[in-house]
Every structure is written in C-alpha cells, then in structure tokens.
C-alpha cells in the first residue's frame, strides 16, 4: 500500500486520461466512453478529495461536448462538400436505413429533445447526429441540444460508477462492477436486435430471384413484385 501513488498523482493522471479517452470516443465511436466515466467515478468515490467527483463530471461533460461538436463540424464539411468526407461516410456506414428514417421522423416531431435523449439511448447518438446532418441543422442549433445531452450523459454514467464504488470496499471491485454494468447497458440492446434479426431471417423463405416472403416482397428495398403481362399460349386464326 505504501508503494501506491498518492491521490494527487492519481488525479494528475486520471483527469487528462479521462478527457482524451472521452473526446476520442466521441470522434471515433468505438471507445466505451461510458465505462471510462464510470471507472473514473469509482476511483474518485474512494478518494478523500471532496471535489473529485465534481471534477470527473466537469471533465467528462466537456470532453464529450467537445467531441460531439468536432464530429458534427467534420460531418457538415462532408455534407457541404461535393465529394463528401470520410467522417460522414463512416457515420453513414454505422447506421441502417430504417434506423436513419426513424431518427429523422423523431427529429421532425420533437426537435432538440430527441438530440438530448439520443446520448442516453444505447447506439442512439450516431443516428440522430446523422439525421441532423442530412437535414442541415445549423451548428448553433446542434450545440443547444448537445450541451444538455452531454451533461445528462456524464451524470448518468457517473452515478453508475458511484453505485459500483458504494457496493464494494476495494476500488478495483467497483471498477469491475461498473464496467460490467455499462457494457450490459450499451451492448445489450444491440445484441438483442441482432438475435431477433437472425431469428427472423431463419423463418423466412428464399426464392430463386432473391429473398422474399409469401407476399411477393422483393429483396431489394422490400418492394412488392408486380405481376407482368402474360402472353396467350397461342393465337387463333
């Protein structure tokens, strides 16, 4: 225990690392930023510094906000550019067509509220951000929704970390519990949708011309196959 770094040394490493990981995770949506925030909150919960948790909240919120704004700015450059951009293409590859249509519909109906809630819904941030880009939301309007969204997101995952830290005496046990809970929250819905899609795929029947069901739905775009004109078998003189 005497060889462990002091709290001041831990904080000197924790805050910059937290900022970089959360900002990077906002730009490249592969880093589990929720687990990072929860783990940092567990460590701060076991420290004696009275403002450690507040610092974690401020750093995580600001990093998420800065990452979202940067990604949106890069996406707008792709929308306005003739050749697009790799950032916009990366966002489009991560969103299915039906998910994007649903996000656009909710965005038209509820506006900024959907943007705020998208940060709290697993895998909901990217479809809503892409819908904002395609509907050409101005950056100022996006900022109005991104700021409360990042604050609510940081508070939610920090509460998960505080819960994990309060249940276990050792910080590493709380970190394991917080990471497991955040992974379950973030990955559970996606796994469930994939299992449902696989189950539906095994129930369907394939036709020689492609996949389709009993209602004559074509594989491309789900459009019904129209019956073409038939020729008579023969002509009478």
């Amino acid at each position: 225990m005497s060889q462990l770094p002091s709290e001041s040394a831990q904080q000197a490493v924790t805050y910059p690392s937290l900022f970089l990981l959360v900002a990077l995770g906002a730009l490249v949506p592969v880093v589990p930023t929720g687990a990072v925030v929860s783990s940092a909150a567990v460590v701060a919960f076991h420290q004696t510094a009275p403002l450690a948790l507040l610092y974690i909240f401020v750093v995580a919120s600001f990093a998420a906000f800065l990452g979202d704004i940067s990604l949106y700015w890069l996406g707008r450059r792709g929308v306005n550019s003739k050749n697009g951009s790799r950032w916009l293409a990366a966002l489009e590859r991560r969103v299915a067509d039906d998910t994007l249509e649903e996000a656009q519909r909710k965005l038209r109906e509820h506006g900024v509220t959907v943007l705020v809630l998208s940060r709290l819904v697993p895998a909901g941030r990217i479809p809503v951000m892409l819908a904002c880009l395609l509907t050409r939301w101005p950056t100022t309007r996006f900022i109005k929704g991104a700021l409360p969204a990042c604050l609510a997101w940081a508070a939610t995952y920090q509460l998960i970390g505080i819960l994990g830290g309060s249940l276990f005496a050792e910080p590493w046990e709380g970190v394991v519990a917080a990471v497991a809970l955040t992974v379950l929250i973030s990955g559970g819905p996606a796994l469930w949708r994939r299992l449902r899609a696989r189950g539906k795929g095994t129930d369907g029947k394939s036709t020689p011309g492609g996949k389709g069901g009993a209602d004559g739905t074509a594989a491309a775009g789900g459009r019904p196959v129209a019956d073409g004109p038939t020729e008579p078998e023969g002509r009478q003189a």
Side-chain angles (χ1 to χ4, degrees):
M1 293 297 293
S2 60
Q3 297 179 353
L4 292 177
S6 62
E7 288 189 4
S8 59
Q10 294 178 18
Q11 294 171 6
V13 175
T14 298
Y15 299 142
S17 301
L18 175 64
F19 178 85
L20 292 176
L21 288 175
V22 173
L24 178 63
L27 285 172
V28 185
V30 294
V31 179
T33 53
V36 173
V37 175
S38 298
S39 301
V42 171
V43 176
F45 179 81
H46 286 278
Q47 291 179 350
T48 58
L51 299 179
L53 288 173
L54 177 61
Y55 294 153
I56 293 293
F57 173 75
V58 171
V59 171
S61 302
F62 180 68
F65 177 72
L66 185 62
D68 281 2
I69 296 303
S70 301
L71 183 59
Y72 191 75
W73 179 76
L74 292 170
R76 278 185 61 86
R77 290 187 61 186
V79 171
N80 297 328
S81 174
K82 181 183 298 185
N83 299 324
S85 69
R86 64 186 184 92
W87 295 98
L88 182 61
L91 292 178
E92 291 177 340
R93 286 195 300 266
R94 295 181 62 88
V95 180
D97 292 338
D98 54 347
T99 304
L100 178 60
E101 292 176 359
E102 183 180 0
Q104 289 176 321
R105 178 183 60 82
K106 291 182 178 180
L107 201 63
R108 289 192 301 267
E109 294 176 354
H110 305 287
V112 177
T113 305
V114 177
L115 181 58
V116 175
L117 296 178
S118 66
R119 258 284 182 181
L120 303 178
V121 177
R125 181 176 71 100
I126 298 302
V128 174
M129 180 181 291
L130 183 58
C132 293
L133 288 170
L134 296 181
T135 53
R136 297 183 181 275
W137 267 32
T139 306
T140 53
R141 188 180 184 187
F142 181 82
I143 289 175
K144 293 180 181 179
L147 180 58
C150 293
L151 293 174
W153 170 83
T156 300
Y157 282 98
Q158 186 171 9
L159 287 176
I160 294 176
I162 293 174
L163 177 63
S166 62
L167 291 177
F168 300 95
E170 295 295 333
W172 69 268
E173 295 175 335
V175 169
V176 172
V179 170
L181 185 57
T182 52
V183 170
L184 180 62
I185 293 174
S186 59
L191 178 60
W192 173 249
R193 286 193 299 266
R194 183 174 300 180
L195 292 176
R196 288 186 60 185
R198 183 177 300 178
K200 291 180 180 179
T202 55
D203 293 338
K205 297 180 180 180
S206 61
T207 59
K211 296 180 180 179
D215 57 351
T217 303
R223 297 178 180 177
V225 179
D227 295 332
T230 58
E231 294 289 341
E233 294 180 358
R235 296 181 179 179
Q236 296 181 354

